[in-house]
Amino acid sequence: MVRRPENGSPPSGADATDPKHAPEPAEVAVPKDAATVVLLREGPRGPEVFLQRRVTGMAFAGGMTVFPGGGVDPRDADASVSWTGPDAGWWAHRFGCSAEQARALVCAAVRETFEESGVLLAGPDAGSVVADTGAYGTARAALISREVSLAAFLAEEGLVLRADLLRPWSNWLTPEAEPRRYDTRFFLAAMPGGQRADARTTEAAEAYWRTPAEALADADAGRSRLLPPTRTTLAEVDACGGIEAALAVERGIAKVLPKLVRVDDRWEVVLPGEPGYQEAR
């Protein structure tokens, strides 16, 4: 059993940020597709990940420390998007979904990462990547406001989405007891040379780089709060020992569905394989 009301993705109280206040909905909510990207870079103490602490008032995961990401926009499935790297069929096979859904997930991963951190996984051609995203500030704002789609932005700027810079990592589903649910695919990506991640988003109170071990220690010490998918992903990336190894690992991806169990006066999260999971709802 995972006792993490303060620590305890995809990137689950009316949301998964506080299990002790978990609701009991009359019916199970349909999950919304979402994408999360774990950005990696070499730091002075070893590989680091980019993290953001969400604004406390956010409807989902308020106050939690997360990786950049968010829900899929219907326009993310636009088949006209300029694209290089593994095709939608390859991603569909890895994530167990349709090619159209896979295309939308990859596009959402690139779009959300750019919107929330200013990091753009795209370039003028299949062999290059944008070195400075400062020139695209207006486009970034237009993407956030949904005035323009990712496909239209890339076409206007003559850029190609670099799907080859992403790696599939995991798939987490919000517990059925939650009224707001997401079916989140996690991706890994190394920071493009020359680019900088920032905190210029209304959804984050702060952003910073940490080694996975430091991020886990922060949570254990009460300096941050992590959802189970975030905590698990940090531990998995840390176990790889380096960025190159993490990006090269071949992972079998199956949906992970945490459950909530009532213990005394609080809700606690249990993961598949942990005691009490089969009995939890």
Side-chain angles (χ1 to χ4, degrees), residues 56-71:
T56 302
M58 296 292 293
F60 184 82
M64 308 301 284
T65 295
V66 300
F67 307 113

Side-chain angles (χ1 to χ4, degrees), residues 62-257:
M64 308 301 284
T65 295
V66 300
F67 307 113
V72 170
D73 184 294
R75 296 177 299 174
D76 289 331
D78 188 342
S80 71
V81 65
S82 298
W83 178 303
T84 186
D87 63 19
W90 185 89
W91 290 98
H93 176 71
R94 298 306 303 274
F95 282 132
C97 62
S98 68
E100 180 182 35
Q101 188 178 15
R103 181 182 296 107
L105 288 163
V106 172
C107 287
V110 172
R111 177 182 54 76
E112 286 284 343
T113 300
F114 181 47
E115 289 179 6
E116 295 194 356
S117 71
V119 174
L120 182 58
L121 302 175
D125 53 56
S128 61
V129 65
V130 172
D132 181 0
T133 64
Y136 306 118
T138 300
R140 181 179 176 185
L143 283 166
I144 292 172
S145 65
R146 299 298 183 263
E147 295 174 39
V148 65
S149 68
L150 178 69
F153 158 60
L154 294 176
E156 175 69 21
E157 299 295 342
L159 298 175
V160 178
L161 183 151
R162 291 289 303 276
D164 57 320
L165 299 181
L166 289 163
R167 299 290 185 274
W169 191 258
S170 60
N171 181 188
W172 287 77
L173 191 59
T174 310
E176 293 180 351
E178 299 289 352
R180 188 186 298 267
R181 303 183 66 218
Y182 293 93
D183 189 352
T184 305
R185 273 65 170 201
F186 281 65
F187 299 78
L188 257 59
M191 272 292 294
Q195 293 193 30
R196 298 182 62 184
D198 61 44
R200 293 199 291 271
T201 170
T202 59
E203 296 185 7
E206 63 175 338
Y208 51 85
W209 292 91
R210 288 283 192 279
T211 68
E214 289 170 341
L216 292 168
D218 284 344
D220 290 339
R223 294 186 292 270
S224 67
R225 301 164 63 206
L226 303 176
L227 297 172
T230 311
R231 174 179 283 275
T232 299
T233 302
L234 286 167
E236 291 171 340
V237 172
D238 189 44
C240 290
I243 295 176
E244 186 175 335
L247 295 174
V249 67
E250 292 288 338
R251 290 172 57 88
I253 298 174
K255 250 183 238 303
V256 180
L257 174 62

